[in-house]
Amino acid sequence: NIVMKTTQNEQSATADTSIVDVDIVASAQNPTFNIAGIVSLNTRAAGNLDDENIQIDVDYSLDGGSSFTTLANQSYSTDVFSPGQDDTHNNTYDVMTRTMGTRGQVTMSAGATVRFRLHLDYGSINNGRTIYFNRGVNSSGQGASSIIVYEE
């Protein structure tokens, strides 16, 4: 039992936001799920993003996305640097594609649907900066974010 979803829709975030989500039907009661993901983010923005912390959590919902519970905090977390701010990040556009992964048990009935999402915890962002997802290296390029879930 495995599902995957990928999004290439470019988005900017100035608050908590869902990057990509997917539904899976449990084959057993109270199953353990493995969640893997790829987050494509770009620091191309007006203003300095130097030393910002980007934190992605994995959440799940048993009510179709009306409410979510955190399965894993900081399943993906990194510091980013604005273009030109240091010798290792001096390209025009600083694109970062990072992998993340976690696993956890969900209390639920067999045959029920659970929704997992990769979720930006905007509380990790300093100075109210805008964070960009799935933005490519130039105006015609584009990145993608993905989530893969399978039941053990």
Side-chain angles (χ1 to χ4, degrees), residues 23 33 43 59 62-63 66 72 76 97 113 116 118 125 129:
D23 294 339
F33 293 97
T43 60
D59 300 336
L62 296 172
D63 59 10
S66 295
Y76 164 85
T97 302
T113 299
F116 288 98
L118 301 183
I125 309 301
R129 304 297 186 189

Coordinates of all heavy atoms in Angstrom, one line a residue, residues 23 33 43 59 62-63 66 72 76 97 113 116 118 125 129:
D23 N -3.5 11.3 0.3 CA -4.3 10.4 1.1 C -3.9 9.0 0.9 O -3.6 8.6 -0.3 CB -5.8 10.6 0.7 CG -6.3 12.0 1.0 OD1 -5.8 12.7 1.9 OD2 -7.4 12.4 0.4
F33 N 3.2 4.1 9.4 CA 3.4 4.6 8.1 C 4.9 5.2 8.0 O 5.4 5.7 8.9 CB 2.5 5.8 7.7 CG 1.0 5.3 7.6 CD1 0.2 5.5 8.7 CD2 0.6 4.8 6.4 CE1 -1.2 5.1 8.6 CE2 -0.7 4.4 6.3 CZ -1.6 4.6 7.4
T43 N 15.5 30.6 -2.4 CA 15.6 31.8 -1.6 C 15.5 33.1 -2.4 O 15.8 34.2 -1.9 CB 16.9 31.8 -0.8 OG1 18.0 31.8 -1.8 CG2 17.0 30.6 0.1
D59 N 2.5 16.3 9.1 CA 1.2 16.3 9.8 C 0.3 15.2 9.2 O 0.5 14.8 8.0 CB 0.5 17.6 9.7 CG 1.3 18.8 10.3 OD1 2.2 18.5 11.1 OD2 1.1 19.9 9.9
L62 N -7.3 12.8 10.0 CA -8.2 11.7 9.8 C -9.6 12.2 9.4 O -10.6 11.4 9.3 CB -8.3 10.9 11.1 CG -7.0 10.2 11.6 CD1 -7.2 9.6 13.0 CD2 -6.6 9.2 10.5
D63 N -9.8 13.5 9.1 CA -11.1 14.1 8.8 C -11.0 14.9 7.4 O -11.6 15.9 7.3 CB -11.6 15.0 9.9 CG -10.7 16.2 10.2 OD1 -9.7 16.4 9.5 OD2 -10.9 16.8 11.3
S66 N -9.6 18.8 7.6 CA -10.2 19.8 8.4 C -9.4 20.2 9.6 O -9.3 21.3 10.0 CB -11.6 19.4 8.9 OG -12.5 19.3 7.8
A72 N 5.5 14.5 13.0 CA 7.0 14.7 13.3 C 7.3 16.1 13.1 O 7.0 16.7 12.0 CB 7.8 13.9 12.3
Y76 N 12.4 18.0 8.4 CA 13.3 18.7 7.5 C 13.6 20.0 8.1 O 12.7 20.8 8.4 CB 12.7 18.8 6.1 CG 13.5 19.8 5.2 CD1 14.6 19.4 4.5 CD2 13.0 21.1 5.1 CE1 15.2 20.3 3.6 CE2 13.7 22.0 4.3 CZ 14.8 21.6 3.6 OH 15.4 22.5 2.8
T97 N 17.1 21.6 -3.0 CA 16.2 20.4 -3.0 C 16.7 19.5 -1.9 O 17.8 19.0 -2.0 CB 16.1 19.7 -4.3 OG1 15.7 20.6 -5.4 CG2 15.2 18.6 -4.3
T113 N -9.3 6.5 5.8 CA -8.3 7.3 5.0 C -7.6 8.3 5.9 O -8.3 8.9 6.7 CB -9.0 8.0 3.9 OG1 -9.7 7.1 3.0 CG2 -8.1 8.9 3.1
F116 N -1.7 12.8 4.8 CA -0.4 13.3 5.3 C 0.0 14.5 4.5 O -0.4 14.6 3.3 CB 0.7 12.2 5.1 CG 0.6 11.1 6.0 CD1 0.0 9.9 5.7 CD2 1.1 11.2 7.3 CE1 -0.2 8.8 6.5 CE2 0.9 10.1 8.2 CZ 0.3 8.9 7.8
L118 N 3.3 17.6 3.9 CA 4.5 18.3 4.3 C 4.1 19.7 4.5 O 3.4 20.4 3.7 CB 5.5 18.2 3.1 CG 5.9 16.8 2.7 CD1 7.0 16.9 1.6 CD2 6.5 16.0 3.9
I125 N 10.6 30.9 10.8 CA 11.2 32.0 10.0 C 11.4 33.3 10.8 O 10.5 33.7 11.5 CB 10.2 32.3 8.8 CG1 9.8 31.0 8.1 CG2 10.8 33.3 7.8 CD1 11.0 30.2 7.5
R129 N 10.0 36.9 6.6 CA 10.4 36.8 5.2 C 9.5 35.9 4.4 O 8.8 35.0 5.0 CB 11.9 36.2 5.1 CG 12.9 37.0 5.8 CD 13.1 38.4 5.3 NE 14.2 39.1 5.9 CZ 14.5 40.3 5.8 NH1 13.7 41.1 5.0 NH2 15.5 40.9 6.4

